[in-house]
Amino acid sequence: MSIKLPSYFRITSDSVFKFVFKRKQYAKHLIEKILGQTILSIKSVEVEKVVTDNNFDAKGVRFDVYVEDEEGSRYDVEMQSVQTEQELLALRARYYASMMDVDATNKGDNYRDMKKTVVIFLCNFAIFDGKLRQYNFIRCARQNKALELKDNTEIIFLSSKGDKSDIIDEDVASFLDYMNGKTKTDNLFVKSIDKEVKAVNKDPIIRRNIMKWEMKLREEREAAEAKTLEKVIIISLKEKLPLTLIAKLAETTVSKVKEVAKKHNLENLIVNN
């Protein structure tokens, strides 16, 4: 299957987003505006940072833009341009936050020394009830929402498709509009970002590398989707569901179901209508 790439890579492109926001000034400014507070100084910005828990056979994490300030607080900013189920998005954010703690702490560290951890998802689709552009989540008591746990962890979701009924920072609002393709703006922050994006698209070497990376990402995504499809078909076959029903549930063809059954020696489980 041939994969068609866009003629112009926008900020929602995984590679372009990382290329632009690996610069401290942009990462710092966006995080500050989202949080509504000042970060004194940025110690480091890493893109494609991989964190694994060496003590367990656990799933590792590859962060988009991983930021650490001079006080030890850590921020992860993710560009999410592919529509993702709300529950899966929430669980992913939870896991990312936990792996940030793994990265920030060492054996023997005191719990009191744990610094702030913030996970930020920039979504190019509607999330939750679709009414807001920014949702900040912290842990609080179910019986008393005003009682915060104060564990220094915050998870924030932003949606460029929110209906703008909420009041958010002007630069953040303009950036979300920019994610939607609105390039004509008087906002200085977005103008600076757009200038970087245009430079990326004009540079033949950078553009070639981005195309290679985008191709790799899409191939990985297609491979993951194919693997998920196979799992759905295998489970359905073991449940002895009719052939045509499996194809309908998996949104595929009957021939594809038969192909998977043959591949995994499950042809004896096929139930014809």
Side-chain angles (χ1 to χ4, degrees):
M1 180 186 294
S2 61
I3 300 175
K4 186 178 180 180
L5 294 176
S7 58
Y8 187 86
F9 292 100
R10 294 166 46 196
I11 193 65
T12 49
S13 161
D14 186 79
S15 303
V16 174
F17 175 71
K18 292 169 186 173
F19 185 86
V20 173
F21 281 92
K22 68 182 180 181
R23 291 167 172 75
K24 289 183 179 180
Q25 69 269 29
Y26 295 135
K28 180 176 182 290
H29 186 84
L30 183 60
I31 293 171
E32 284 182 329
K33 295 302 181 180
I34 290 173
L35 293 177
Q37 53 191 249
T38 302
I39 299 173
L40 294 180
S41 180
I42 296 295
K43 179 180 179 182
S44 64
V45 177
E46 298 179 71
V47 296
E48 291 291 314
K49 180 179 175 67
V50 176
V51 174
T52 56
D53 189 340
N54 295 323
N55 296 316
F56 302 96
D57 185 20
K59 176 182 175 67
V61 169
R62 183 166 59 189
F63 297 100
D64 278 1
V65 179
Y66 192 85
V67 180
E68 182 180 359
D69 67 21
E70 292 294 350
E71 296 180 342
S73 296
R74 300 181 186 227
Y75 315 85
D76 166 44
V77 187
E78 300 284 324
M79 175 58 73
Q80 189 71 29
S81 57
V82 178
Q83 182 85 37
T84 305
E85 292 180 14
Q86 176 180 317
E87 182 179 357
L88 184 60
L89 202 61
L91 292 173
R92 183 179 163 200
R94 169 188 168 186
Y95 191 69
Y96 277 30
S98 68
M99 291 303 287
M100 290 171 75
D101 285 336
V102 168
D103 181 56
T105 55
N106 297 303
K107 186 177 180 180
D109 282 355
N110 193 302
Y111 291 126
R112 293 183 181 277
D113 296 329
M114 294 182 73
K115 303 299 182 180
K116 182 194 299 181
T117 295
V118 180
V119 178
I120 300 171
F121 274 80
L122 300 167
C123 303
N124 200 30
F125 48 87
I127 54 175
F128 307 120
D129 57 10
K131 294 180 179 179
L132 305 178
R133 289 172 291 179
Q134 181 166 332
Y135 298 82
N136 293 53
F137 292 92
I138 56 173
R139 291 185 175 95
C140 61
R142 181 176 295 175
Q143 296 80 1
N144 180 3
K145 297 295 190 293
L147 181 60
E148 297 179 15
L149 188 59
K150 295 184 179 180
D151 60 349
N152 272 343
T153 300
E154 186 170 5
I155 296 175
I156 304 172
F157 296 96
L158 294 103
S159 169
S160 65
K161 306 300 183 184
D163 67 6
K164 301 185 179 181
S165 61
D166 55 347
I167 300 174
I168 61 175
D169 180 85
E170 181 182 341
D171 284 1
V172 176
S174 295
F175 183 76
L176 293 176
D177 286 339
Y178 184 63
M179 286 174 57
N180 286 334
K182 183 181 177 182
T183 56
K184 292 183 179 180
T185 178
D186 293 327
N187 184 272
L188 295 179
F189 174 61
V190 171
K191 278 187 173 181
S192 297
I193 298 298
D194 188 50
K195 183 178 179 181
E196 297 286 351
V197 173
K198 286 177 178 175
V200 165
N201 278 276
K202 287 180 180 178
D203 189 306
I205 297 176
I206 297 176
R207 182 176 168 79
R208 192 178 305 118
N209 288 334
I210 286 176
M211 291 184 73
K212 288 179 180 178
W213 179 246
E214 289 291 325
M215 184 74 75
K216 180 175 180 291
L217 283 178
R218 295 197 182 192
E219 287 173 348
E220 288 178 353
R221 191 175 298 137
E222 286 190 357
E225 289 173 354
K227 190 174 181 180
T228 300
L229 176 63
E230 282 201 5
K231 285 183 178 180
V232 170
I233 292 173
I234 290 170
I235 291 171
S236 300
L237 286 168
K238 290 180 178 180
E239 290 291 329
K240 299 294 184 68
L241 296 180
L243 191 61
T244 54
L245 178 58
I246 294 175
K248 184 177 180 180
L249 292 173
E251 297 182 347
T252 188
T253 61
V254 169
S255 60
K256 179 63 179 180
V257 177
K258 289 181 177 179
E259 178 188 319
V260 173
K262 183 177 181 180
K263 177 181 177 182
H264 295 276
N265 298 316
L266 298 174
E267 290 174 290
N268 61 312
L269 298 180
I270 292 178
V271 177
N272 293 302
N273 291 5

